[in-house]
Amino acid sequence: MNIFKNATSIKLVATEAFSTLSSQLYFFVIPLIAITTMNATTSDVGYINTAMGLGTFIFLLLLGPLCDIRKTHLLLSLISVLRFFILLFTAYLLATKKLDILFVCVSVFFVAGISAIYESTISSYSEKIIDKDKLHNINSWMGGLRTIADVATGTISGLLLSVSNGYLTIIIISIFFFLSALGPLSFHKKINEKNNERGLENLKVEFNDLFHGMRIILSDKSHKSINLSIIQFNLFTSIMFSTYIIYCIKVGSMTVLDVGFAGSIGGIVGLIGIPMSNFISKKIDFKKIMMVTLFSPGVIGCLIFFIPRSDQLVKMILLGLVLGLWSITILINISAFETFKQKTISYESIGRYSAASRCITWGIEPVGALLVAFFSPYMPLNIILIISLIGIAFSPIWIFLSNVPKKLLIHI
């Protein structure tokens, strides 16, 4: 399936692109703005990052039932509009020199929380407008957008901040959020044809079953083992990503510009993962895909240790390869897992399952950052990196020991 020949697919991917890029940009630039314009301390940045993590965890934990409501398109649009107004108000406070760290924390708490609900809802949303046999291709593109955005955010943020001041940068990002609100509205007729969706009138019943998605995870051995592996992977990845930039700059003698350029290389390399994901899903069984894509980043990350011994150009290429290959493996992993969820979880529960899964797999990430903050004064950076890469490489052990299907995704 060529998504560029299908208007519905194009709108869906474009909507996700605007939403994902906007979220990543805001979470990246707001600490930088706080440091450069508000004299934020290291502790202040820690509070901001903690607020992001708490927003994600609390919203997914308490508002997961929203992800399965009937008017999914309205929920997605409403979330984007809310993010648009939160950022506009933040920009106004910054422009008038009234912005403080407390409001920054409140802002990122709500933006992170509703963005997490958005990402969980999009799983059920895709299934409403895309045929099942075409879901994996769409998931590959959407996974590609997320992983490439992760890598390219630093470069784009640097460019925005270099050509505009802080509040203009936030306004530009808010416009992206507004654009992401328009896409879902064009699908309302097809969505409303579904006769097995729950309306707002049943929302009270759904909130009485807040832990429905968590019970699915715990009761299904395959899903439990996959989520355990992803929890371990994300914990040690958080440690690695909290450390590698400092290592590259302090030990590897790279500049911030070098790291940004390497991120651009990584984003370009990561694009290869989109066609690779579709090809691999047709040739390799699901269990092997999940195991290899969770193990490989632990090996790929070892290339970072060659950076201090390399010339300046080689340093950027090495880091770019690490980020690019990392993006490819994560893209393949995300798209495979997303398709597996959509094929094995009932239509009525997919949103709440996604919310519960993200709650525990994303909610662990602040723990990794806190561990780095605690141990970094007592341990060398290279030791922390080695521990994180070993933890990543061993994350597939839960899947290896389980009965995750050894089938091609098309046969699940």
Side-chain angles (χ1 to χ4, degrees):
M1 172 192 174
N2 185 345
I3 69 162
F4 298 109
K5 294 181 180 179
N6 185 291
T8 299
S9 301
I10 292 173
K11 291 176 183 177
L12 179 61
V13 171
T15 298
E16 175 66 5
F18 280 122
S19 175
T20 300
L21 182 61
S22 305
S23 299
Q24 300 290 55
L25 286 175
Y26 184 60
F27 297 144
F28 193 91
V29 303
I30 197 65
L32 295 178
I33 291 172
I35 292 169
T36 56
T37 65
M38 301 163 59
N39 298 317
T41 64
T42 303
S43 297
D44 291 332
V45 174
Y47 295 143
I48 294 170
N49 290 330
T50 301
M52 290 184 201
L54 285 175
T56 299
F57 180 80
I58 291 173
F59 271 72
L60 288 174
L61 181 66
L62 300 180
L63 300 180
L66 283 175
C67 301
D68 284 316
I69 66 170
R70 180 171 179 262
K71 303 286 188 179
T72 313
H73 61 303
L74 294 180
L75 174 63
L76 291 171
S77 293
L78 176 62
I79 287 173
S80 291
V81 170
L82 285 174
R83 293 184 292 187
F84 168 72
F85 281 115
I86 291 172
L87 264 66
L88 274 188
F89 189 60
T90 303
Y92 165 76
L93 292 178
L94 181 60
T96 55
K97 302 186 185 303
K98 296 178 181 177
L99 186 64
D100 57 23
I101 296 299
L102 177 60
F103 185 83
V104 170
C105 290
V106 172
S107 169
V108 298
F109 174 86
F110 281 100
V111 174
I114 58 180
S115 294
I117 294 294
Y118 184 101
E119 292 300 327
S120 297
T121 305
I122 207 78
S123 294
S124 57
Y125 184 53
S126 302
E127 203 173 0
K128 294 172 184 177
I129 58 175
I130 303 295
D131 294 334
K132 275 190 175 290
D133 60 338
K134 299 172 182 176
L135 276 173
H136 186 72
N137 198 347
I138 288 294
N139 290 335
S140 297
W141 273 96
M142 294 174 71
L145 291 171
R146 291 166 191 161
T147 52
I148 293 167
D150 284 341
V151 173
T153 295
T155 304
I156 299 172
S157 299
L159 288 173
L160 283 174
L161 289 171
S162 65
V163 299
S164 63
N165 54 35
Y167 69 86
L168 282 178
T169 296
I170 295 176
I171 289 173
I172 292 170
I173 297 171
S174 73
I175 292 171
F176 290 160
F177 274 133
F178 182 78
L179 292 173
S180 73
L182 302 178
L185 296 177
S186 65
F187 300 116
H188 67 283
K189 290 183 180 179
K190 187 166 184 177
I191 290 176
N192 289 341
E193 291 172 1
K194 295 286 185 180
N195 55 18
N196 59 342
E197 296 176 277
R198 290 175 306 284
L200 291 173
E201 64 275 6
N202 292 324
L203 206 52
K204 183 177 179 180
V205 176
E206 301 304 333
F207 272 94
N208 289 332
D209 193 13
L210 278 176
F211 300 102
H212 175 76
M214 198 68 71
R215 277 199 291 274
I216 296 175
I217 293 173
L218 295 175
S219 63
D220 187 289
K221 293 181 179 178
S222 293
H223 283 281
K224 180 167 69 174
S225 61
I226 292 171
N227 278 278
L228 282 171
S229 285
I230 295 174
I231 288 171
Q232 180 174 332
F233 180 90
N234 285 352
L235 172 65
F236 286 99
T237 294
S238 176
I239 295 173
M240 188 265 186
F241 271 74
S242 297
T243 310
Y244 87 92
I245 292 180
I246 302 172
Y247 178 85
C248 289
I249 292 174
K250 289 190 174 181
V251 181
S253 301
M254 295 180 71
T255 66
V256 174
L257 190 61
D258 292 336
V259 174
F261 183 73
S264 300
I265 295 174
I268 294 169
V269 174
L271 286 170
I272 301 171
I274 296 174
M276 280 185 64
S277 176
N278 292 313
F279 176 80
I280 288 173
S281 69
K282 297 174 183 176
K283 302 293 182 181
I284 302 176
D285 69 69
F286 174 69
K287 185 171 185 175
K288 287 179 182 175
I289 289 175
M290 295 301 293
M291 288 182 60
V292 172
T293 54
L294 290 172
F295 168 79
S296 299
V299 177
I300 293 167
C302 292
L303 290 173
I304 289 176
F305 296 116
F306 291 96
I307 287 176
R309 304 180 182 87
S310 305
D311 296 331
Q312 208 65 20
L313 178 61
V314 177
K315 290 177 182 179
M316 289 187 286
I317 294 172
L318 275 175
L319 183 57
L321 279 175
V322 170
L323 296 175
L325 294 174
W326 192 293
S327 294
I328 290 172
T329 57
I330 300 307
L331 188 158
I332 295 170
N333 177 280
I334 289 174
S335 57
F337 183 40
E338 199 68 26
T339 305
F340 179 71
K341 284 192 298 184
Q342 291 162 342
K343 290 196 168 195
T344 56
I345 303 298
S346 69
Y347 182 86
E348 295 81 5
S349 301
I350 184 68
R352 282 170 292 170
Y353 172 90
S354 294
S357 179
R358 286 182 169 89
C359 181
I360 57 177
T361 58
W362 291 3
I364 197 68
E365 292 178 1
V367 176
L370 287 173
L371 287 173
V372 171
F374 180 80
F375 285 108
S376 56
Y378 312 104
M379 297 176 66
L381 286 174
N382 59 336
I383 299 299
I384 296 176
L385 273 174
I386 289 170
I387 292 172
S388 68
L389 293 172
I390 291 173
I392 290 168
F394 276 91
S395 61
I397 189 68
W398 307 98
I399 295 175
F400 175 76
L401 297 174
S402 74
N403 60 346
V404 173
K406 296 181 179 179
K407 298 178 181 179
L408 297 177
L409 276 170
I410 196 172
H411 295 143
I412 292 177

